[in-house]
Amino acid sequence: MTDERILKLLINKDEKALYKLSGKYDKLLSYIISNIVGNRPEDVEECLNDTYFKVWKNAHKIDLKKASLKTYLKYVARNTAINRIRDLSKDEIMLEHEDRAMIEEDVNVLKNILDDLKPREKELVIRKYFYIQSSKVIAQEMNMEVTTVDSYLSRLRKKMKKEFQRREESYE
């Protein structure tokens, strides 16, 4: 079907026009959009749908003497994808900022919990979870049995988790 015929169907709000547009231009527009938003199928699909909706809504403004329907579609798809990236970037920046703030808060709570531990308990936790030492190495360097190290660490994890939750609740 010609672009002129598709445009007439669009202007008359005939849904057949969308099927024809989709069949004729989906691959091209998906390619353009995915080059901008990346290979995220849900974003490509959303931009593609938005493009067709904008064309549907503004079909009466399209002048095929100035540009082809294909050119118009490419322009709308490109701008729609760019706007999508801007929106995503704003959301991601806000989330990153919030995530960083939450992580910093959690780190501070964890530091405080570590500071409240006895020196030997603190050393066990730091060796195991900061320096990633094995229980065997920790046991050798601290003159302990491996089972004792594992036992201590298990109790300390539970104790720290409980304290972390208690402090989290007190901030809310």
Side-chain angles (χ1 to χ4, degrees), residues 9-171:
L9 292 173
L10 284 168
I11 292 170
N12 292 326
K13 302 300 181 202
D14 186 334
E15 290 182 19
K16 187 176 174 183
L18 294 174
Y19 296 111
K20 295 297 180 183
L21 271 179
S22 173
K24 194 169 184 178
Y25 294 110
D26 254 11
K27 285 184 183 179
L28 172 66
L29 299 179
S30 293
Y31 175 78
I32 291 167
I33 293 166
S34 65
N35 280 329
I36 297 169
V37 300
N39 207 6
R40 300 191 306 226
E42 65 279 355
D43 291 328
V44 173
E45 186 67 31
E46 188 168 333
C47 287
L48 196 55
N49 290 337
D50 288 349
T51 298
Y52 290 139
F53 176 73
K54 289 173 184 175
V55 170
W56 173 269
K57 191 171 144 187
N58 296 299
H60 63 281
K61 296 179 184 177
I62 297 173
D63 184 353
L64 294 181
K65 291 177 186 161
K66 291 183 180 177
S68 69
L69 184 58
K70 180 179 181 179
T71 300
Y72 184 76
L73 285 164
K74 291 189 313 187
Y75 175 80
V76 173
R78 178 187 160 277
N79 288 340
T80 301
I82 289 170
N83 289 338
R84 177 80 178 154
I85 285 296
R86 283 187 191 132
D87 292 344
L88 289 173
S89 295
K90 288 176 191 172
D91 291 346
E92 287 171 1
I93 289 168
M94 286 301 295
L95 285 175
E96 285 175 17
H97 180 70
E98 289 172 15
D99 287 347
R100 256 188 261 124
M102 289 173 64
I103 289 169
E104 284 179 30
E105 186 179 312
D106 289 350
V107 166
N108 287 331
V109 170
L110 188 56
K111 281 181 184 176
N112 291 334
I113 291 171
L114 281 172
D115 287 342
D116 291 344
L117 293 177
K118 295 175 187 168
R120 186 174 180 93
E121 294 173 335
K122 186 175 181 177
E123 184 177 354
L124 279 167
V125 170
I126 289 173
R127 283 178 176 268
K128 183 68 173 183
Y129 302 108
F130 186 74
Y131 294 119
I132 319 294
Q133 291 181 339
S134 69
S135 296
K136 183 178 178 182
V137 169
I138 296 170
Q140 289 170 345
E141 292 185 10
M142 294 183 71
N143 296 323
M144 298 171 74
E145 295 293 322
V146 174
T147 55
T148 307
V149 168
D150 289 337
S151 209
Y152 257 113
L153 287 168
S154 176
R155 284 195 302 273
L156 285 168
R157 275 193 310 273
K158 289 175 187 168
K159 176 180 175 181
M160 291 174 68
K161 181 179 179 181
K162 194 177 198 178
E163 183 62 18
F164 190 84
Q165 289 170 340
R166 187 190 68 73
R167 291 184 188 202
E168 286 271 297
E169 289 170 3
S170 69
Y171 291 130

